[in-house]
Amino acid sequence: MTQTMDNLCWIAADWGTSHLRLWLMDDQGTVLRHIGSDRGMSSLAPQEFEPTLIDLIGDSLPDQGSIPVVCCGMAGSRQGWAEAPYSKAPCEPPSIDQATRVQTADPRISVFLLPGIKQLPAADVMRGEETQIAGFLSENPKFDGVICLPGTHCKWAHISAGEVVSFRTFMTGELFALLCDASVLRHSVGDDGWDAAAFEAAVSDAMSRPSAVAGNLFSIRAETLLCDLDSAAARSRISGLLIGIELAAARPYWLGQDVVVVGESGIATAYSAGLSQQGAMARNVTAANMTLNGLRAAYTKLIETTP
Amino acid sequence: MTQTMDNLCWIAADWGTSHLRLWLMDDQGTVLRHIGSDRGMSSLAPQEFEPTLIDLIGDSLPDQGSIPVVCCGMAGSRQGWAEAPYSKAPCEPPSIDQATRVQTADPRISVFLLPGIKQLPAADVMRGEETQIAGFLSENPKFDGVICLPGTHCKWAHISAGEVVSFRTFMTGELFALLCDASVLRHSVGDDGWDAAAFEAAVSDAMSRPSAVAGNLFSIRAETLLCDLDSAAARSRISGLLIGIELAAARPYWLGQDVVVVGESGIATAYSAGLSQQGAMARNVTAANMTLNGLRAAYTKLIETTP
């Protein structure tokens, strides 16, 4: 059993579709403890969010007072804990002023759900990535350029004067997972291994002939059957074809821009490699750090504005 | 219990990945009985094919003599009953001369596995569709043009002088099923309903901007969230985007060609509608008929060549 943390000051929460990440923070912004859980939004009914949270951090809460929990991600969606209505682009990444307060049965927590951002027309949405953008901007307040956030649904966001000016989402990561895990190509790919040359050739091919992608994907199956195609090459080609057509469509976002890729190492490296092939140099920063920084920025605003 | 069929002459079998279809035939080419089963290739080990077949048709077999079973599809793949090595394009659709004989424990059947077709370079494979092509050519021996066979993996085949000259496979059908059943878009689509205008607009959009498809797919999700997009429109748009990029890539196959679409009604109609939007008129023929006709053509050759 965990003991009450006397120096616990607030809790940062990234509550996504499939995962929950919590950081227990002191008043200096230091992480006292990090907790990861697979109790993501999609596995929970609205009334299950509070018990899930208390189950994970209840023992650490002091008996007196109320600990702020600043939460981003899908917990704020309509099917989540409570709906935190989207901010509308162009806008600053939403912070504590736009957060939705949730009433809790347990008086030891005060929950703030940060909203996502919507865009209309060119209908688009994000929930969670806006907090990574806020985290990046907290360290780079003068940034003017493009932030690329690869993942299940990759986002490209134009940033200027501290605002998300416009953004565009691509289903690249989800398509990659479906093709590797659930399609006929699952017989072709390995779990790991990377073939940089195969990736690079596939990016070039997809960028110059984007329409051919559904045919070029099946070629991977045929080459496995007829030519014993290596499994690392197969996986790298699927990645290259999908990232290639995305880069072709996202050209207005990266061409001649200052580009930052926010993501975990493998996928961020693939995007940077694809961009560098096109002569676009991108910086990489780690997604988890950016999320925590964004939640820190929201908490700072909370204590600044609390009388 | 089914009685022995005195007039049973031969059996036509289409043994695919997920389904098995059998037609019990008399000596006039008339179907005595049709049997459908979900015991497809992917659910069977090699030694289970014969018992599966006997289980379904054993009671109908005469005690004396041996009934030819002419079989096309994935049963002839390396993971199937026995490997029927591919014919190599350019070639006529393989027939009984290229079939692989399987030794059976039950003397009442004589099994012939028809091979598929491979192509190298531009690695590609088909197994099953070649028999549909043979079936179409048995009724249209002078056909010179292109046969499009939509399905899980859509095939486009150039046909000239009775031969499959070249072909190209697209993963369109499998992508559509994965997106509608397993991706975030499953929340957007309905089980049925069709919006012809949404389909048409999506085909045009994908043909003019094929690289944008991964972004345009996510727009469907965003419009569901923000604009209450109708579920029939969502499903039709996914279909239109995927068929649109395929038609863009397959242009050399259909532009200025005599095109025949072989498929079940819904999907064949969608392809024909997409083609007609581009000013290409296609004829539709039913896939099941073509398969049976192709198997009939192989059986006819068998009895012609048997002394």
Side-chain angles (χ1 to χ4, degrees), chain B residues 266-290:
Chain B
I267 183 80
T269 305
Y271 273 79
S272 298
L275 283 165
S276 122
Q277 235 177 285
Q278 303 302 317
M281 291 304 145
R283 278 180 287 162
N284 281 9
V285 297
T286 308
N289 290 350
M290 292 305 109

PDB file of all heavy atoms in Angstrom, chain B residues 266-290:
ATOM      1  N   GLY B 266     -23.636  -5.284 -55.821  1.00  0.00           N
ATOM      2  CA  GLY B 266     -23.332  -4.009 -55.174  1.00  0.00           C
ATOM      3  C   GLY B 266     -21.989  -3.447 -55.579  1.00  0.00           C
ATOM      4  O   GLY B 266     -21.874  -2.309 -56.062  1.00  0.00           O
ATOM      5  N   ILE B 267     -20.949  -4.259 -55.424  1.00  0.00           N
ATOM      6  CA  ILE B 267     -19.600  -3.775 -55.690  1.00  0.00           C
ATOM      7  C   ILE B 267     -19.390  -3.547 -57.185  1.00  0.00           C
ATOM      8  O   ILE B 267     -18.766  -2.558 -57.594  1.00  0.00           O
ATOM      9  CB  ILE B 267     -18.553  -4.757 -55.094  1.00  0.00           C
ATOM     10  CG1 ILE B 267     -17.125  -4.261 -55.294  1.00  0.00           C
ATOM     11  CG2 ILE B 267     -18.690  -6.155 -55.662  1.00  0.00           C
ATOM     12  CD1 ILE B 267     -16.723  -3.233 -54.308  1.00  0.00           C
ATOM     13  N   ALA B 268     -19.950  -4.433 -58.014  1.00  0.00           N
ATOM     14  CA  ALA B 268     -19.799  -4.265 -59.465  1.00  0.00           C
ATOM     15  C   ALA B 268     -20.474  -2.985 -59.927  1.00  0.00           C
ATOM     16  O   ALA B 268     -19.962  -2.254 -60.781  1.00  0.00           O
ATOM     17  CB  ALA B 268     -20.375  -5.479 -60.188  1.00  0.00           C
ATOM     18  N   THR B 269     -21.639  -2.689 -59.340  1.00  0.00           N
ATOM     19  CA  THR B 269     -22.354  -1.465 -59.694  1.00  0.00           C
ATOM     20  C   THR B 269     -21.536  -0.235 -59.316  1.00  0.00           C
ATOM     21  O   THR B 269     -21.470   0.744 -60.060  1.00  0.00           O
ATOM     22  CB  THR B 269     -23.719  -1.424 -58.973  1.00  0.00           C
ATOM     23  OG1 THR B 269     -24.425  -2.624 -59.299  1.00  0.00           O
ATOM     24  CG2 THR B 269     -24.531  -0.222 -59.408  1.00  0.00           C
ATOM     25  N   ALA B 270     -20.883  -0.286 -58.149  1.00  0.00           N
ATOM     26  CA  ALA B 270     -20.059   0.846 -57.728  1.00  0.00           C
ATOM     27  C   ALA B 270     -18.906   1.075 -58.705  1.00  0.00           C
ATOM     28  O   ALA B 270     -18.640   2.212 -59.115  1.00  0.00           O
ATOM     29  CB  ALA B 270     -19.519   0.606 -56.312  1.00  0.00           C
ATOM     30  N   TYR B 271     -18.232   0.009 -59.104  1.00  0.00           N
ATOM     31  CA  TYR B 271     -17.136   0.167 -60.070  1.00  0.00           C
ATOM     32  C   TYR B 271     -17.659   0.718 -61.399  1.00  0.00           C
ATOM     33  O   TYR B 271     -17.046   1.610 -61.989  1.00  0.00           O
ATOM     34  CB  TYR B 271     -16.398  -1.161 -60.282  1.00  0.00           C
ATOM     35  CG  TYR B 271     -15.293  -1.395 -59.276  1.00  0.00           C
ATOM     36  CD1 TYR B 271     -15.580  -1.838 -57.989  1.00  0.00           C
ATOM     37  CD2 TYR B 271     -13.958  -1.143 -59.603  1.00  0.00           C
ATOM     38  CE1 TYR B 271     -14.573  -2.035 -57.052  1.00  0.00           C
ATOM     39  CE2 TYR B 271     -12.938  -1.343 -58.670  1.00  0.00           C
ATOM     40  CZ  TYR B 271     -13.254  -1.786 -57.404  1.00  0.00           C
ATOM     41  OH  TYR B 271     -12.249  -1.970 -56.481  1.00  0.00           O
ATOM     42  N   SER B 272     -18.785   0.175 -61.857  1.00  0.00           N
ATOM     43  CA  SER B 272     -19.341   0.647 -63.133  1.00  0.00           C
ATOM     44  C   SER B 272     -19.730   2.115 -63.052  1.00  0.00           C
ATOM     45  O   SER B 272     -19.515   2.878 -63.996  1.00  0.00           O
ATOM     46  CB  SER B 272     -20.566  -0.183 -63.516  1.00  0.00           C
ATOM     47  OG  SER B 272     -20.188  -1.519 -63.686  1.00  0.00           O
ATOM     48  N   ALA B 273     -20.298   2.511 -61.896  1.00  0.00           N
ATOM     49  CA  ALA B 273     -20.682   3.912 -61.729  1.00  0.00           C
ATOM     50  C   ALA B 273     -19.446   4.804 -61.765  1.00  0.00           C
ATOM     51  O   ALA B 273     -19.447   5.866 -62.400  1.00  0.00           O
ATOM     52  CB  ALA B 273     -21.437   4.091 -60.409  1.00  0.00           C
ATOM     53  N   GLY B 274     -18.390   4.387 -61.080  1.00  0.00           N
ATOM     54  CA  GLY B 274     -17.144   5.158 -61.088  1.00  0.00           C
ATOM     55  C   GLY B 274     -16.570   5.276 -62.485  1.00  0.00           C
ATOM     56  O   GLY B 274     -16.126   6.352 -62.915  1.00  0.00           O
ATOM     57  N   LEU B 275     -16.594   4.176 -63.226  1.00  0.00           N
ATOM     58  CA  LEU B 275     -16.067   4.195 -64.591  1.00  0.00           C
ATOM     59  C   LEU B 275     -16.919   5.080 -65.490  1.00  0.00           C
ATOM     60  O   LEU B 275     -16.384   5.859 -66.297  1.00  0.00           O
ATOM     61  CB  LEU B 275     -16.028   2.766 -65.149  1.00  0.00           C
ATOM     62  CG  LEU B 275     -14.880   1.891 -64.638  1.00  0.00           C
ATOM     63  CD1 LEU B 275     -15.140   0.424 -64.961  1.00  0.00           C
ATOM     64  CD2 LEU B 275     -13.547   2.344 -65.241  1.00  0.00           C
ATOM     65  N   SER B 276     -18.235   4.987 -65.328  1.00  0.00           N
ATOM     66  CA  SER B 276     -19.106   5.755 -66.207  1.00  0.00           C
ATOM     67  C   SER B 276     -18.938   7.249 -65.959  1.00  0.00           C
ATOM     68  O   SER B 276     -19.020   8.066 -66.886  1.00  0.00           O
ATOM     69  CB  SER B 276     -20.547   5.259 -66.051  1.00  0.00           C
ATOM     70  OG  SER B 276     -21.395   6.279 -65.662  1.00  0.00           O
ATOM     71  N   GLN B 277     -18.648   7.615 -64.695  1.00  0.00           N
ATOM     72  CA  GLN B 277     -18.326   9.010 -64.367  1.00  0.00           C
ATOM     73  C   GLN B 277     -17.141   9.522 -65.191  1.00  0.00           C
ATOM     74  O   GLN B 277     -17.014  10.711 -65.446  1.00  0.00           O
ATOM     75  CB  GLN B 277     -17.888   9.042 -62.904  1.00  0.00           C
ATOM     76  CG  GLN B 277     -18.632   9.971 -62.020  1.00  0.00           C
ATOM     77  CD  GLN B 277     -18.137   9.825 -60.590  1.00  0.00           C
ATOM     78  OE1 GLN B 277     -18.460   8.851 -59.910  1.00  0.00           O
ATOM     79  NE2 GLN B 277     -17.346  10.769 -60.128  1.00  0.00           N
ATOM     80  N   GLN B 278     -16.232   8.592 -65.530  1.00  0.00           N
ATOM     81  CA  GLN B 278     -15.045   8.955 -66.306  1.00  0.00           C
ATOM     82  C   GLN B 278     -15.283   8.783 -67.811  1.00  0.00           C
ATOM     83  O   GLN B 278     -14.337   8.847 -68.592  1.00  0.00           O
ATOM     84  CB  GLN B 278     -13.847   8.093 -65.884  1.00  0.00           C
ATOM     85  CG  GLN B 278     -13.528   8.174 -64.402  1.00  0.00           C
ATOM     86  CD  GLN B 278     -13.241   9.595 -63.961  1.00  0.00           C
ATOM     87  OE1 GLN B 278     -12.537  10.341 -64.654  1.00  0.00           O
ATOM     88  NE2 GLN B 278     -13.784   9.995 -62.813  1.00  0.00           N
ATOM     89  N   GLY B 279     -16.537   8.515 -68.165  1.00  0.00           N
ATOM     90  CA  GLY B 279     -16.845   8.339 -69.586  1.00  0.00           C
ATOM     91  C   GLY B 279     -16.502   6.967 -70.122  1.00  0.00           C
ATOM     92  O   GLY B 279     -16.508   6.750 -71.335  1.00  0.00           O
ATOM     93  N   ALA B 280     -16.195   6.021 -69.221  1.00  0.00           N
ATOM     94  CA  ALA B 280     -15.881   4.654 -69.664  1.00  0.00           C
ATOM     95  C   ALA B 280     -17.094   3.768 -69.401  1.00  0.00           C
ATOM     96  O   ALA B 280     -17.547   3.671 -68.264  1.00  0.00           O
ATOM     97  CB  ALA B 280     -14.663   4.115 -68.923  1.00  0.00           C
ATOM     98  N   MET B 281     -17.637   3.170 -70.445  1.00  0.00           N
ATOM     99  CA  MET B 281     -18.809   2.318 -70.278  1.00  0.00           C
ATOM    100  C   MET B 281     -18.353   0.880 -70.061  1.00  0.00           C
ATOM    101  O   MET B 281     -17.568   0.350 -70.834  1.00  0.00           O
ATOM    102  CB  MET B 281     -19.705   2.384 -71.521  1.00  0.00           C
ATOM    103  CG  MET B 281     -20.381   3.742 -71.676  1.00  0.00           C
ATOM    104  SD  MET B 281     -21.336   4.189 -70.174  1.00  0.00           S
ATOM    105  CE  MET B 281     -21.094   5.954 -70.124  1.00  0.00           C
ATOM    106  N   ALA B 282     -18.853   0.277 -68.983  1.00  0.00           N
ATOM    107  CA  ALA B 282     -18.454  -1.095 -68.678  1.00  0.00           C
ATOM    108  C   ALA B 282     -19.694  -1.982 -68.653  1.00  0.00           C
ATOM    109  O   ALA B 282     -20.761  -1.555 -68.241  1.00  0.00           O
ATOM    110  CB  ALA B 282     -17.741  -1.148 -67.337  1.00  0.00           C
ATOM    111  N   ARG B 283     -19.535  -3.226 -69.100  1.00  0.00           N
ATOM    112  CA  ARG B 283     -20.592  -4.226 -68.948  1.00  0.00           C
ATOM    113  C   ARG B 283     -20.393  -4.957 -67.629  1.00  0.00           C
ATOM    114  O   ARG B 283     -19.263  -5.190 -67.216  1.00  0.00           O
ATOM    115  CB  ARG B 283     -20.478  -5.270 -70.052  1.00  0.00           C
ATOM    116  CG  ARG B 283     -21.089  -4.883 -71.367  1.00  0.00           C
ATOM    117  CD  ARG B 283     -20.897  -6.013 -72.380  1.00  0.00           C
ATOM    118  NE  ARG B 283     -19.498  -6.097 -72.828  1.00  0.00           N
ATOM    119  CZ  ARG B 283     -18.973  -7.158 -73.427  1.00  0.00           C
ATOM    120  NH1 ARG B 283     -19.709  -8.259 -73.588  1.00  0.00           N
ATOM    121  NH2 ARG B 283     -17.721  -7.152 -73.840  1.00  0.00           N
ATOM    122  N   ASN B 284     -21.498  -5.350 -66.978  1.00  0.00           N
ATOM    123  CA  ASN B 284     -21.409  -6.135 -65.745  1.00  0.00           C
ATOM    124  C   ASN B 284     -21.840  -7.576 -66.001  1.00  0.00           C
ATOM    125  O   ASN B 284     -22.857  -7.805 -66.643  1.00  0.00           O
ATOM    126  CB  ASN B 284     -22.350  -5.554 -64.669  1.00  0.00           C
ATOM    127  CG  ASN B 284     -21.762  -4.331 -64.011  1.00  0.00           C
ATOM    128  OD1 ASN B 284     -20.741  -3.818 -64.449  1.00  0.00           O
ATOM    129  ND2 ASN B 284     -22.417  -3.863 -62.967  1.00  0.00           N
ATOM    130  N   VAL B 285     -21.078  -8.524 -65.467  1.00  0.00           N
ATOM    131  CA  VAL B 285     -21.528  -9.924 -65.476  1.00  0.00           C
ATOM    132  C   VAL B 285     -21.344 -10.484 -64.068  1.00  0.00           C
ATOM    133  O   VAL B 285     -20.507 -10.004 -63.302  1.00  0.00           O
ATOM    134  CB  VAL B 285     -20.765 -10.787 -66.502  1.00  0.00           C
ATOM    135  CG1 VAL B 285     -21.008 -10.289 -67.915  1.00  0.00           C
ATOM    136  CG2 VAL B 285     -19.284 -10.822 -66.192  1.00  0.00           C
ATOM    137  N   THR B 286     -22.131 -11.504 -63.715  1.00  0.00           N
ATOM    138  CA  THR B 286     -22.148 -12.019 -62.348  1.00  0.00           C
ATOM    139  C   THR B 286     -20.989 -12.980 -62.110  1.00  0.00           C
ATOM    140  O   THR B 286     -20.726 -13.870 -62.915  1.00  0.00           O
ATOM    141  CB  THR B 286     -23.483 -12.745 -62.089  1.00  0.00           C
ATOM    142  OG1 THR B 286     -24.525 -11.859 -62.454  1.00  0.00           O
ATOM    143  CG2 THR B 286     -23.615 -13.118 -60.624  1.00  0.00           C
ATOM    144  N   ALA B 287     -20.314 -12.818 -60.969  1.00  0.00           N
ATOM    145  CA  ALA B 287     -19.104 -13.597 -60.687  1.00  0.00           C
ATOM    146  C   ALA B 287     -19.403 -15.081 -60.543  1.00  0.00           C
ATOM    147  O   ALA B 287     -18.681 -15.928 -61.090  1.00  0.00           O
ATOM    148  CB  ALA B 287     -18.434 -13.062 -59.430  1.00  0.00           C
ATOM    149  N   ALA B 288     -20.463 -15.438 -59.815  1.00  0.00           N
ATOM    150  CA  ALA B 288     -20.724 -16.860 -59.542  1.00  0.00           C
ATOM    151  C   ALA B 288     -20.933 -17.620 -60.849  1.00  0.00           C
ATOM    152  O   ALA B 288     -20.419 -18.728 -61.023  1.00  0.00           O
ATOM    153  CB  ALA B 288     -21.939 -17.011 -58.634  1.00  0.00           C
ATOM    154  N   ASN B 289     -21.674 -17.020 -61.787  1.00  0.00           N
ATOM    155  CA  ASN B 289     -21.872 -17.668 -63.081  1.00  0.00           C
ATOM    156  C   ASN B 289     -20.551 -17.889 -63.808  1.00  0.00           C
ATOM    157  O   ASN B 289     -20.342 -18.914 -64.441  1.00  0.00           O
ATOM    158  CB  ASN B 289     -22.765 -16.803 -63.979  1.00  0.00           C
ATOM    159  CG  ASN B 289     -24.195 -16.785 -63.485  1.00  0.00           C
ATOM    160  OD1 ASN B 289     -24.548 -17.563 -62.599  1.00  0.00           O
ATOM    161  ND2 ASN B 289     -24.998 -15.901 -64.047  1.00  0.00           N
ATOM    162  N   MET B 290     -19.677 -16.892 -63.731  1.00  0.00           N
ATOM    163  CA  MET B 290     -18.406 -16.987 -64.446  1.00  0.00           C
ATOM    164  C   MET B 290     -17.542 -18.096 -63.866  1.00  0.00           C
ATOM    165  O   MET B 290     -16.869 -18.824 -64.593  1.00  0.00           O
ATOM    166  CB  MET B 290     -17.665 -15.648 -64.386  1.00  0.00           C
ATOM    167  CG  MET B 290     -18.341 -14.537 -65.164  1.00  0.00           C
ATOM    168  SD  MET B 290     -18.628 -14.959 -66.904  1.00  0.00           S
ATOM    169  CE  MET B 290     -20.413 -15.135 -66.904  1.00  0.00           C
TER     170      MET B 290
END
